[in-house]
Amino acid sequence: MNNLPIRVAKLSKRYNIGNKQIRHNTLRDVLAQAYKFPFRRLAALFLNDTDTDTSSNTIWALKDISFDVKWGEVVGIIGHNGAGKSTLLKILSFITEPTAGYASIHGRVGSLLEVGTGFHSELTGRENIYLNGAILGMKKIEIDRKFDEIVAFAEVEKFIDTPAKHYSSGMYVRLAFAVAAHLEPEIMLLDEVLAVGDIDFQKKCIASMKAVANSGRTVLIVSHNMALIEMLCDTVLWLEKGEVRAIGPTETVVADYLTEAQSFLPVNLMEHHKSNTTSAARFTGIRLLNAVGENCRTVKMGSEFTVMLNIEADEPIHNPWIGVQICTTYGQLLFHSANREAGYQLPPLYGKCVVKCSFEATNLLPDRYFINLILSDKSTTLYDEVTAATFFDVSPSDVLGTGMLMGKEYGIMFFPSQWNVEGEQDYAA
């Protein structure tokens, strides 16, 4: 176990919040704290001081978490905001001290936790590259060898001798990622790497992370981008309220996370979070019907399905415009269907009513999909808008009658096609 690059055991972190004033330390306080530091760490390790503090001024960012990471493993860390993901990486980067338990790191660590972390604003880009390399324990000759590659990747050639305090957030993160990726630390800790940067940078960043993931280096990635997590990671750690909810194969944990993340979405849309709405009209419910008219959450490839929408209008809505959007689990819009665009003029809506939208065929490959709803009128008054009103699963089916079942490897959508060869063919040898 000693040769593991990362080992975390019963790790906890407690923060005191509120308006308590912090007294500035004197030199004697600093020396006393330095003397006591090793003993506090030993006490935390052996006594496991994770007693629950019920004070309203205390919050546990992490609570008794344990896991190991093997050499060459790429681990994704997921969870809602406030789950403790960034706190964990800060402890692993030795930026924050744990309250109890411990985290051991064996190897050269490179961190990219947030824009500008590890950079000195008064130093130039060039000086910061050498500073970060020195912090990683690299020799100047090693940094020299990688310098041109780092600058080219970051696209900051014109500003390499400009103090970092004059950099934009995009320049900061490009240079910081270039340093973290190209100085070849044995362990990389990345927190929301793609949160800043344009599309071109994100493409370069993803390609670089793929190369890192395939290079045998150990990587921990925090991200809300599940597509990125599934693309890069072997294992996923799911944190919830500072505790380990699950750890295991990426596909399994991400699927469970997405299912639970949306499990609170009720069929009763009056309890659903709304945005950009008025009080005059609203969606109140949604249900799905399969080809035989039964309530369902699973639809076969190629089969018909119907979306039933309950609407309440306190005043007549003339020329209603109702939109149904189908999205992937990552929020990517696949298609948008609305009654007017489909050639259907609906009568005025008033009081309680039910609107039915039917799809003749499900041209979607097996996966989970979400439905967004929009309620408007001819004057473009937006009455209601519901994101992820409900979800449904598409199951495999031999819809083309070929005996073949298509899966995710074929993409997202499918369309029947016809094939032939024109003209006479001479197969003579």
Side-chain angles (χ1 to χ4, degrees), residues 101-222:
Y102 74 94
S104 63
I105 308 289
H106 299 283
R108 195 163 61 190
V109 179
S111 302
L112 180 53
L113 304 187
E114 57 189 36
V115 177
T117 298
F119 274 37
H120 194 295
S121 61
E122 297 295 334
L123 298 181
T124 66
R126 182 187 303 274
E127 291 166 338
N128 272 298
I129 291 175
Y130 282 93
L131 173 63
N132 275 262
I135 291 173
L136 288 174
M138 299 183 68
K139 296 180 179 179
K140 183 178 181 297
I141 191 172
E142 296 178 86
I143 305 172
D144 289 339
R145 190 174 65 251
K146 291 286 185 178
F147 184 85
D148 290 340
E149 191 176 344
I150 291 171
V151 175
F153 184 94
E155 299 176 0
V156 294
E157 293 93 337
K158 294 182 180 179
F159 310 98
I160 193 63
D161 291 311
T162 300
K165 64 183 178 182
H166 299 304
Y167 282 14
S168 67
S169 59
M171 292 168 63
Y172 246 122
V173 77
R174 288 201 304 270
L175 186 57
F177 180 82
V179 170
H182 291 84
L183 291 186
E184 299 182 353
E186 297 169 305
I187 301 170
M188 288 185 64
L189 308 177
L190 307 174
D191 190 355
E192 290 295 354
V193 175
L194 300 183
V196 179
D198 55 28
I199 296 299
D200 291 336
F201 165 73
Q202 291 185 13
K203 290 179 180 178
K204 288 174 61 176
C205 194
I206 290 173
S208 178
M209 285 191 289
K210 284 183 178 179
V212 170
N214 294 328
S215 68
R217 278 180 276 175
T218 303
V219 185
L220 265 64
I221 303 174
V222 167

Side-chain angles (χ1 to χ4, degrees), residues 20 59 71 86 98 179 195 209 211 219 268 304 308 323 328 334 336 357 362 375 389-390 405 413 421:
K20 182 178 179 181
I59 184 172
W71 284 109
S86 296
V179 170
M209 285 191 289
V219 185
N268 178 8
E304 176 186 350
M308 304 291 290
T328 67
L334 296 179
H336 177 110
C357 174
T362 307
L375 175 59
T390 192
L405 297 180
M413 306 182 73
V421 177

